[in-house]
Amino acid sequence: MKTLPEKSRSAAEVLDTYFLETRAKLIEIAANLDRVDRSPELIQVRGDMRLTFIDRALEILRGPGPSRAEQIQRLYSKE
Amino acid sequence: MFIIDPHCHMVSRTTADYETMALAGVVAISEPAFWAGFDRSPAGFVDYYRQLTEFEPKRAAQFGIDHYCWICLNPKEAEDLGKAKEVLAEIPKFLDKPTVLGVGEIGLNKNTPNEAKVFQQHVQMAIDTWEKSKAAGATGGHHLILIHTPHLEDKLKGTKWTLEMLKDFGSKIDHSRVLIDHVEEHTIKIVKDAGYWAGMTLYPVSKCTPQRAVDMIEMHGAERLMVNAAADWGVSDPLNTHRTMLEAKKRGHALETLMTVFYNNPARFFGQCPKFKPRPMRVEEVRE
């Protein structure tokens, strides 16, 4: 059974609350990837599974919700 | 508001942290036995168990905090079966100490066969050593059990395997007396659906954030769910439990929900051990 707040917030209110945080995290991801790209011997990480994981996680972000977090957790899980 | 932190490694924290936690409303802490950052000798474990059962309760009491603990050989040191045998032989001596709640945090770390063997031995011990406690007036079929689940990419497989191993114990295991910790988005449902208590750990990078923890409370319900800071010797924060409560408060959750998750649920689960003193509380508005 779900446990919800006393007063539900609209999607717009939730977006207002978390947009800046989300923006900051996306920029952080971009900067992390740029840092890898700027580093010497970039060829060593071509095909690295971790970069593949990031690519696939970004595809999940582009897809529909509301279980993106769980999908990324599963993507990163060893079976 | 009063808070019970169900999983905090206080041996790694300063006395100032106890004071900070007390100022922030923490009235009780449960501290599972864990890895010290290096592998210890069997004799080192006995010293550690004495620290947990003798020294930490006194340090916490200076700030009005009740300190409880759990005893085990943690999964990270379970690979050496010879050492595990020696350490496990010492554990029953501590289970009846006045502040020991049960066996934990046991479980898997890298999902190896040896870790699984030692996990099963711990569960069997929780069952076998129960008779003595039962004679002292306790109810239930085994000591309370606190289970660690693996990190990152090993978590899902390890959690599933843990549930399978528990299932093998059949009716000897009372699901309401088992807390499975460090659940995340991909493991919370299978743990709660199986009837166990679940713990969410707020830990930078490798585990959960306050925002995600509140998402999980909303999606999976507050019933049989706890939040802990698990603060230890790594980069961690004993007030992360509070940050989660603040996030829930900011989203408009009722005081009753906050009481349920951050106080009453731990009080209910731990309260199954008669040594645990805090009892569930009710929020009541008084009109005068």
Side-chain angles (χ1 to χ4, degrees):
Chain A
M1 196 172 66
K2 293 181 178 183
T3 299
L4 299 172
E6 286 183 302
K7 182 183 173 296
S8 66
R9 293 180 301 169
S10 69
E13 286 173 309
V14 174
L15 187 58
D16 283 347
T17 304
Y18 296 102
F19 174 70
L20 282 178
E21 186 184 318
T22 307
R23 173 186 175 274
K25 286 179 177 172
L26 286 169
I27 294 169
E28 199 67 32
I29 292 168
N32 289 347
L33 293 173
D34 287 347
R35 209 171 298 127
V36 173
D37 286 345
R38 282 200 310 273
S39 303
E41 298 171 33
L42 182 62
I43 194 153
Q44 283 183 359
V45 294
R46 290 264 154 77
D48 189 303
M49 278 308 292
R50 290 168 295 184
L51 292 177
T52 309
F53 164 76
I54 292 169
D55 274 345
R56 289 172 63 188
L58 292 173
E59 283 167 22
I60 289 171
L61 288 189
R62 278 194 295 269
S67 65
R68 293 184 189 92
E70 183 181 347
Q71 288 179 60
I72 291 177
Q73 291 276 23
R74 286 184 179 275
L75 173 68
Y76 192 57
S77 297
K78 282 184 193 165
E79 278 304 326
Chain B
M1 201 184 107
F2 293 151
I3 286 180
I4 296 170
D5 197 310
H7 187 140
C8 230
H9 296 293
M10 298 308 294
V11 297
S12 305
R13 312 303 305 191
T14 64
T15 303
D17 284 335
Y18 272 116
E19 185 185 36
T20 302
M21 292 171 83
L23 287 168
V26 173
V27 293
I29 292 169
S30 122
E31 174 162 8
F34 85 136
W35 189 53
F38 68 100
D39 289 358
R40 290 161 285 199
S41 67
F45 276 91
V46 174
D47 288 338
Y48 174 50
Y49 299 155
R50 286 190 53 218
Q51 184 181 11
L52 286 173
T53 56
E54 296 170 20
F55 182 63
E56 289 305 323
K58 286 181 192 153
R59 208 156 68 106
Q62 294 175 73
F63 303 97
I65 295 175
D66 289 347
H67 180 281
Y68 299 91
C69 70
W70 303 72
I71 302 292
C72 78
L73 169 78
N74 68 90
K76 266 199 154 174
E77 287 170 89
E79 209 43 51
D80 178 346
L81 293 179
K83 183 169 97 175
K85 191 177 176 187
E86 271 188 73
V87 175
L88 261 69
E90 298 294 329
I91 293 173
K93 298 171 194 164
F94 288 89
L95 289 176
D96 288 317
K97 297 272 184 190
T99 55
V100 176
L101 297 177
V103 177
E105 58 183 303
I106 57 173
L108 302 168
N109 179 50
K110 296 307 268 179
N111 300 331
T112 70
N114 282 0
E115 289 170 8
K117 262 184 211 158
V118 174
F119 169 70
Q120 289 163 322
Q121 288 167 2
H122 275 105
V123 175
Q124 192 61 53
M125 179 193 291
I127 297 166
D128 294 342
T129 54
W130 182 239
E131 287 303 314
K132 198 174 157 196
S133 301
K134 210 171 153 186
T139 55
H142 53 79
H143 283 286
L144 294 179
I145 296 172
L146 172 50
I147 297 176
H148 163 95
T149 52
H151 306 284
L152 304 171
E153 69 269 30
D154 296 311
K155 184 178 292 296
L156 181 60
K157 183 180 176 184
T159 303
K160 285 179 178 173
W161 194 11
T162 300
L163 293 174
E164 283 167 24
M165 286 190 282
L166 286 171
K167 207 173 177 182
D168 290 340
F169 282 90
S171 61
K172 286 182 187 165
I173 288 293
D174 176 350
H175 295 203
S176 68
R177 293 177 68 81
V178 179
L179 166 58
I180 300 184
D181 223 328
H182 318 318
V183 298
E184 291 185 66
E185 289 87 348
H186 53 327
T187 57
I188 185 170
K189 188 172 187 308
I190 52 174
V191 167
K192 287 194 78 183
D193 283 355
Y196 297 105
W197 286 79
M200 295 187 290
T201 298
L202 285 303
Y203 203 88
V205 184
S206 65
K207 293 191 179 76
C208 196
T209 62
Q211 290 82 357
R212 285 168 49 212
V214 179
D215 289 340
M216 285 189 267
I217 292 169
E218 291 174 357
M219 290 188 290
H220 299 278
E223 187 198 345
R224 283 183 286 111
L225 192 56
M226 300 182 214
V227 173
N228 64 72
D232 58 18
W233 45 262
V235 177
S236 51
D237 181 353
L239 292 191
N240 262 343
T241 307
H242 299 71
R243 291 183 211 290
T244 309
M245 190 169 75
L246 180 60
E247 172 70 15
K249 205 173 168 185
K250 279 159 66 179
R251 292 192 195 182
H253 280 278
L255 180 57
E256 196 183 338
T257 301
L258 306 184
M259 284 290 293
T260 298
V261 175
F262 298 96
Y263 187 91
N264 284 337
N265 278 354
R268 285 188 187 107
F269 178 75
F270 300 141
Q272 295 179 91
C273 174
K275 297 173 201 170
F276 192 80
K277 291 180 201 149
R279 289 286 167 255
M281 293 195 292
R282 189 168 48 235
V283 182
E284 196 176 356
E285 193 175 303
V286 179
R287 291 176 190 275
E288 293 178 331

